[in-house]
Amino acid sequence: MKRKHKEVKPVKYAYGLTSALLVGGAAISLATGQPAGAQVAQNDESRMAGAVPRAGAPESFADLTAQLQPAVVNISTTQRVEVQSANPFAGTPFEGLFGSRGGGSQEPQYREGQSLGSGFVISADGYIVTNNHVIAPAGRATVEQITVTMPDGTEYPAELVGADRQSDLAVLKISRDEPFPFVEFGDSEHSRVGDWVVAIGNPFGLGGTVTSGIISAVYRTPPTGGVTGAYDRYIQTDASINRGNSGGPLFDMQGNVIGINNAIISPTGGSVGIGFAIPADIAAPIVAQLRRGERVERGYLGVSLGPVNDDIADSVGLDRSVGEFVQIVRDGDPAARAGIQPGDIIVEVGGETVTNDRSVSYIVANTAPGTTLPVTLYRNGERRTVNVTVGQFPTDEALAQEQEQFDLEAEPEATDEPQTGAVAEQLGLQVMDLTPAIARQLRAPAGTQGVVIAAVDRGSDAGQKVTRGDIILSANYNDVATAADLERIVREAQASGREAVLLRIQRVGAQSPFYVPIRLR
């Protein structure tokens, strides 16, 4: 149920707001002077003539803010969160003696959780765009209610129309008899570094807040420590974006929505002038599909990828870091059917060079399923091309079932044992042959062949990447069955001037092997 509100004259409402509150305006009709049903966006060109500041440094953002702010909303959720039992005897025979009834196990305990973010109305009939993470439950939680608050404080229950975790976008719907103020997507493709922008949102739950700045970079890939995903291409801005701004719009000086505020990089959790917005030209097609209730169409290869850093480039003999490294190929998926293998380095997809700005994931995700693409890769130092028929990206549920879990942070064991041979001296490892007894102890898959890492020198490069108990399956793409095999391969790498060796590792608890480059000392 919406609250009753005072009748306010539309013209005064449209132009009398400043940058104070982001909590209202919902019940105000659009005063366009047009026949009923002919709704015009808040940022339509015909309405922006008096609001757009002069070229160069604007004297004020007040008129622009007053025109756009009625379409920006606060979004909050009420969640039911399952909490762990406080019973100190939980899981023991004495569990029933602590706070439970009837001698049975305790019932699950719940608490109420909340989330808070921003969004913006994109149609007169109440469709709203926000980030998926604003409305998605975290951990063991379920969303019980989504509430949208307009700039005048009027609240509306919202229906979730569609959400897409991969792009972090969601579409909501609210309803009332009168049309809502709304804004439309602009063209972010022509945004330039140095252009002025305005961000409107709900930082720290303060209510509607307006900040300004410039575009610091276009199509920037934030540092993640790994390869980018399908949509990790953002507009970077120094307009202050803080917690709660997520899902709010980023406007250019013509009032166009050129981005959706999404994330920041900050050592403190507050804005330090490095904010990121999903570009409108990426978001708009996805929003259109979600609004129609359709599943988002995106291409899929079925590989897990890693960056080609200097260590990997040195270990495989590449002149420079280029492309992306294939860690895992999922059986039966498009990449496997095309013959792509773990250890391959993909350098081109569909004739496009793989770079940080145009990753394999980005190129493939933006290719229609069923399309056949040539994929150029390096394998054992040789360049080759395979043709891949792109598949349909799996659902989130299917991906969760397949997701690989690697414990790459296990602390390696120190060793004071004397080290001899190339493996010990160059890699900082002590290894031993994998016997059936050791394989059983490590719960290695049946038929596993390799050598076991018995100890790691913490001062070596290996000390940061592998741990005692890891099984080395291959080195520089050559199978390793004995410690002598590994010794020979390391000596050959030394002789050929390689600065690193590429090991394929099977780790206890990991579902699939993975590659690790180890620098020689």
Side-chain angles (χ1 to χ4, degrees), residues 65-86:
T65 297
Q67 187 65 38
L68 300 173
Q69 197 171 22
V72 183
V73 301
N74 295 348
I75 298 172
S76 61
T77 70
T78 302
Q79 301 181 10
R80 189 167 183 256
V81 184
E82 183 178 347
V83 296
Q84 293 183 344
S85 171

Side-chain angles (χ1 to χ4, degrees), residues 88-443:
F89 301 106
T92 74
F94 305 104
E95 179 178 12
L97 300 179
F98 188 86
S100 61
R101 297 180 179 179
S105 61
Q106 286 188 316
E107 293 294 327
Q109 301 296 309
Y110 296 92
R111 64 174 175 83
E112 184 177 286
Q114 294 181 330
S115 67
L116 191 66
S118 306
F120 54 99
V121 186
I122 59 169
S123 66
D125 56 348
Y127 283 94
I128 293 171
V129 174
T130 186
N131 285 148
N132 177 64
H133 74 259
V134 170
I135 53 89
R140 296 183 177 182
T142 55
V143 174
E144 296 188 323
Q145 183 177 0
I146 302 174
T147 302
V148 169
T149 306
M150 301 298 289
D152 69 350
T154 309
E155 296 181 351
Y156 294 88
E159 169 196 356
L160 177 61
V161 176
D164 181 54
R165 186 177 62 85
Q166 296 296 320
S167 59
D168 197 21
L169 293 170
V171 174
L172 309 177
K173 178 71 167 64
I174 57 176
S175 300
R176 71 176 183 188
D177 294 335
E178 309 108 50
F180 289 98
F182 66 97
V183 292
E184 296 174 327
F185 283 110
D187 181 6
S188 63
E189 188 175 354
H190 295 98
S191 299
R192 302 171 60 201
V193 174
D195 284 347
W196 282 98
V197 288
V198 169
I200 304 180
N202 181 33
F204 301 110
L206 294 172
T209 300
V210 180
T211 59
S212 67
I214 62 169
I215 294 176
S216 305
V218 292
Y219 299 124
R220 171 62 51 83
T221 301
T224 60
V227 167
T228 62
Y231 300 104
D232 291 341
R233 285 156 54 86
Y234 296 90
I235 295 173
Q236 181 183 331
T237 179
D238 67 349
S240 293
I241 296 175
N242 283 294
R243 211 156 147 201
N245 276 110
S246 287
L250 186 71
F251 293 104
D252 64 15
M253 290 297 98
Q254 284 68 50
N256 300 311
V257 178
I258 60 168
I260 302 172
N261 300 325
N262 183 259
I264 62 173
I265 291 179
S266 170
T268 63
S271 175
V272 294
I274 305 176
F276 298 96
I278 303 169
D281 60 344
I282 290 176
I286 298 172
V287 167
Q289 292 182 71
L290 294 176
R291 183 174 171 179
R292 294 191 298 264
E294 299 173 355
R295 180 182 173 188
V296 177
E297 293 279 332
R298 60 172 65 91
Y300 174 73
L301 283 188
V303 294
S304 292
L305 299 164
V308 178
N309 54 29
D310 290 339
D311 290 350
I312 289 180
D314 289 340
S315 67
V316 300
L318 286 178
D319 292 335
R320 60 190 178 93
S321 298
V322 61
E324 293 178 16
F325 189 84
V326 179
Q327 288 279 10
I328 298 169
V329 178
R330 294 181 175 86
D331 293 339
D333 282 344
R337 292 195 296 268
I340 295 176
Q341 300 176 5
D344 289 346
I345 296 175
I346 299 176
V347 293
E348 288 183 10
V349 177
E352 295 190 62
T353 301
V354 175
T355 64
N356 287 336
D357 290 337
R358 298 192 71 80
S359 65
V360 173
S361 296
Y362 178 82
I363 297 170
V364 172
N366 289 279
T367 300
T371 305
T372 298
L373 293 177
V375 175
T376 302
L377 50 86
Y378 277 99
R379 181 182 299 164
N380 294 328
E382 297 181 357
R383 186 181 176 100
R384 62 181 69 192
T385 299
V386 299
N387 291 317
V388 180
T389 300
V390 176
Q392 166 66 43
F393 203 92
T395 63
D396 290 344
E397 292 77 12
L399 282 178
Q401 292 176 358
E402 296 179 357
Q403 188 173 8
E404 308 290 350
Q405 298 293 333
F406 300 117
D407 179 16
L408 295 179
E409 298 181 357
E411 185 178 357
E413 298 289 331
T415 175
D416 296 324
E417 305 258 340
Q419 301 182 1
T420 59
V423 172
E425 294 172 359
Q426 296 299 315
L427 298 184
L429 299 176
Q430 290 188 9
V431 298
M432 55 186 176
D433 294 346
L434 180 65
T435 65
I438 295 174
R440 285 193 299 271
Q441 183 182 355
L442 296 175
R443 302 190 302 278

